[in-house]
Amino acid sequence: IPFRLPFLLILPGCLFSAFAFFCKREEKVRFSVTDIVVIFAVACLALVACSGLLNVSITNDTVYYYSVYPQMITKYGEYRKAFDVFLTDVGQTTALIYCLPYFFGFNETFGIQHFLNFNFAGIFYLAVYETAAQYFTKKRAVGAGAVSVLFLFTSTPFLITAKWVLANVYFMDFLFILFYFGYKCSHDRTEFERYKWVMCFLTAMLSMMRMEGGMMACFLILCLSVLAYTNREMIGYFLFPVFVMQAGYYAMLYLRLEVDPLYSFLDIKKALLMLALILGLFFYFLLIRNRRFQKLLTYPEAFILVGLTLGNLALCALNAEKYLTNLVCFGKNMILQSGWGYFGFIVLILLLLLPRNTGRISYPDFFCMGYILLTIAVCWARGGSLRVGIGDSGNRIMMQIAPFVVYALVMHVIKWYSSKQNERI
């Protein structure tokens, strides 16, 4: 399939038609005055995003990976063996997003990123508002959502990630969207039927947004497995899209193009390991989950966290020096405020002040703890050790946790405040 402008214009129409068919929407679409006002406001935000008034940060990786490489794809309309390092070190779906301006004669990509940040502000607000509305009045829920967005968007790790023209901002935002919608739809079957194909599509995109995207997508799927989804749903709407993207890309990379650069983040061994992980999850959903070891899997969250901990210990045993060096770098980056500011200290203070939960671990807390453990493990698999500095890839991956930590803390505050109000009543 040639990657050309006519194809890009046809594809969205086909996808929209497919979504409309599967969703089986019978009601007629009618635009109200409110809808028109919202569309106009969104158009204004798009103009602001593309105006150049908002700051961005760029580095060498920005220029080569997400400017030069998208221009190459746009020019040739296909993958070529000469793209070797770009094919093994760049998040492919992110690079394709960055292609869009070049198809229409523009030379900058920051407008898409700024607009994504505006969009994410609304999504994060919605996530907090919908949760707060279960405990508070509408007015207080609106306040909780607004304060949460303000807290997140003024935090140093989020600001740096959001302004830096790299794949991290896309991965962070898409991961949170799937994290929240997966959680939301597990409690509401109507919502699941409405969004299941969207989540399927976004999961496929997420798995290729960074080179470790497949690993992170599998972690997300494992986290969603503790919720009320059937095994068929887990395989069909979450795991299968990841398999298609990963297996198809690896086949193109190593079988058709026979790419083998001198330096690469992704090699054949890592590709086979990724496919083995997907296959392992497939057998888990097919043969084990809700079928065997029921007593052992009574608390799947604890089981997953223990497994991740044991995995980290195994990595430490394989190469203790490298593992401990990475841990020290993570700690120094936090203490020296390398991209973190006072975020870590504020989170620590809040954790000490808020009462501890008794009973089952909450889904947001479980996700944050698992994400930290997985990030440490993924960074161990990198070619060399991490370094102290704001631009280190391991540090940037860890900074992607900011929305999840803020959401988890807000949930703690909401539940704590709600319990205090009930005590007074």
Side-chain angles (χ1 to χ4, degrees), residues 367-382:
F367 188 92
C368 289
M369 288 186 282
Y371 183 90
I372 293 171
L373 291 170
L374 182 65
T375 299
I376 296 172
V378 167
C379 290
W380 183 92
R382 200 175 78 167

Side-chain angles (χ1 to χ4, degrees), residues 213-416:
M215 190 75 70
M216 291 293 186
C218 286
F219 166 70
L220 172 68
I221 293 169
L222 203 56
C223 290
L224 292 176
S225 71
V226 307
L227 303 175
Y229 289 112
T230 65
N231 292 325
R232 179 177 295 182
E233 290 167 349
M234 292 302 305
I235 293 174
Y237 298 112
F238 298 107
L239 188 60
F240 184 69
V242 175
F243 172 76
V244 170
M245 292 294 282
Q246 297 289 312
Y249 186 71
Y250 298 154
M252 180 274 299
L253 197 62
Y254 296 114
L255 299 181
R256 184 165 68 86
L257 296 182
E258 298 181 345
V259 170
D260 187 21
L262 294 176
Y263 164 81
S264 65
F265 176 84
L266 177 67
D267 55 28
I268 295 178
K269 291 181 180 179
K270 292 178 182 177
L272 292 175
L273 180 63
M274 186 67 247
L275 294 177
L277 176 61
I278 296 174
L279 188 63
L281 280 178
F282 174 79
F283 282 114
Y284 170 69
F285 293 127
L286 195 64
L287 303 175
I288 298 176
R289 182 175 180 258
N290 298 331
R291 289 183 173 88
R292 291 180 173 84
F293 310 112
Q294 292 300 303
K295 291 184 179 180
L296 185 63
L297 297 175
T298 303
Y299 298 98
E301 301 93 336
F303 182 80
I304 293 171
L305 290 178
V306 170
L308 288 171
T309 303
L310 293 175
N312 274 265
L313 292 175
L315 294 178
C316 183
L318 287 174
N319 192 334
E321 182 180 359
K322 182 179 179 180
Y323 186 88
L324 295 176
T325 300
N326 287 354
L327 281 184
V328 170
C329 288
F330 280 124
K332 284 187 176 180
N333 282 326
M334 185 78 68
I335 295 171
L336 298 176
Q337 302 179 14
S338 299
W340 291 91
Y342 296 102
F343 183 77
F345 299 104
I346 294 173
V347 169
L348 181 61
I349 291 171
L350 289 174
L351 287 175
L352 293 174
L353 292 177
L354 289 171
R356 291 170 178 78
N357 286 338
T358 55
R360 194 162 189 157
I361 186 173
S362 69
Y363 177 70
D365 292 343
F366 156 64
F367 188 92
C368 289
M369 288 186 282
Y371 183 90
I372 293 171
L373 291 170
L374 182 65
T375 299
I376 296 172
V378 167
C379 290
W380 183 92
R382 200 175 78 167
S385 300
L386 304 184
R387 59 182 174 84
V388 178
I390 188 173
D392 180 73
S393 61
N395 190 45
R396 286 187 281 113
I397 294 172
M398 192 64 81
M399 287 196 297
Q400 293 170 178
I401 200 175
F404 305 94
V405 171
V406 173
Y407 180 77
L409 286 174
V410 169
M411 294 305 100
H412 279 288
V413 172
I414 288 173
K415 291 178 181 179
W416 170 77

Side-chain angles (χ1 to χ4, degrees), residues 160-173:
I160 290 175
T161 305
K163 291 169 59 177
W164 205 332
V165 183
L166 285 173
N168 295 94
V169 60
Y170 290 92
F171 194 88
M172 175 180 68
D173 292 356

Side-chain angles (χ1 to χ4, degrees), residues 138-153:
K138 182 177 180 180
K139 185 176 180 180
R140 287 183 175 178
V142 169
V147 171
S148 301
V149 171
L150 181 63
F151 179 39
L152 175 63
F153 275 67

Side-chain angles (χ1 to χ4, degrees), residues 16-263:
F16 181 81
S17 300
F19 285 146
F21 174 78
F22 285 115
C23 292
K24 298 178 181 178
R25 300 189 64 175
E26 297 177 356
E27 66 269 19
K28 294 181 179 180
V29 177
R30 296 178 181 177
F31 288 100
S32 64
V33 176
T34 303
D35 295 329
I36 295 173
V37 171
V38 170
I39 292 171
F40 178 75
V42 170
C44 290
L45 285 177
L47 291 175
V48 172
C50 296
S51 65
L53 295 173
L54 304 174
N55 294 329
V56 292
S57 300
I58 62 173
T59 58
N60 287 339
D61 286 354
T62 302
V63 175
Y64 290 105
Y65 291 164
Y66 299 109
S67 181
V68 173
Y69 179 47
Q71 290 181 66
M72 291 163 58
I73 299 175
T74 304
K75 179 180 179 179
Y76 295 107
E78 63 181 5
Y79 283 138
R80 296 191 172 189
K81 187 175 182 178
F83 298 171
D84 50 9
V85 175
F86 293 109
L87 290 169
T88 57
D89 286 61
V90 181
Q92 297 303 310
T93 50
T94 307
L96 295 183
I97 291 172
Y98 280 124
C99 285
L100 292 176
Y102 300 114
F103 273 111
F104 297 95
F106 296 96
N107 293 316
E108 302 293 345
T109 61
F110 59 79
I112 302 175
Q113 186 161 326
H114 285 316
F115 190 75
L116 175 68
N117 291 329
F118 290 146
N119 185 59
F120 185 70
I123 291 173
F124 191 81
Y125 168 84
L126 178 68
V128 176
Y129 170 80
E130 289 184 337
T131 307
Q134 301 174 19
Y135 300 90
F136 300 149
T137 61
K138 182 177 180 180
K139 185 176 180 180
R140 287 183 175 178
V142 169
V147 171
S148 301
V149 171
L150 181 63
F151 179 39
L152 175 63
F153 275 67
T154 54
S155 65
T156 305
F158 181 85
L159 276 175
I160 290 175
T161 305
K163 291 169 59 177
W164 205 332
V165 183
L166 285 173
N168 295 94
V169 60
Y170 290 92
F171 194 88
M172 175 180 68
D173 292 356
F174 274 61
L175 184 62
F176 183 86
I177 292 169
L178 284 165
F179 157 84
Y180 179 68
F181 273 84
Y183 180 62
K184 174 184 176 180
C185 293
S186 69
H187 298 94
D188 190 331
R189 301 306 300 179
T190 303
E191 291 289 281
F192 175 73
E193 291 299 322
R194 178 180 297 174
Y195 292 112
K196 62 185 181 182
W197 292 109
V198 177
M199 290 193 292
C200 177
F201 180 71
L202 293 182
T203 304
M205 283 193 68
L206 178 76
S207 68
M208 294 295 293
M209 283 191 154
R210 282 183 59 85
M211 276 294 107
E212 74 280 358
M215 190 75 70
M216 291 293 186
C218 286
F219 166 70
L220 172 68
I221 293 169
L222 203 56
C223 290
L224 292 176
S225 71
V226 307
L227 303 175
Y229 289 112
T230 65
N231 292 325
R232 179 177 295 182
E233 290 167 349
M234 292 302 305
I235 293 174
Y237 298 112
F238 298 107
L239 188 60
F240 184 69
V242 175
F243 172 76
V244 170
M245 292 294 282
Q246 297 289 312
Y249 186 71
Y250 298 154
M252 180 274 299
L253 197 62
Y254 296 114
L255 299 181
R256 184 165 68 86
L257 296 182
E258 298 181 345
V259 170
D260 187 21
L262 294 176
Y263 164 81

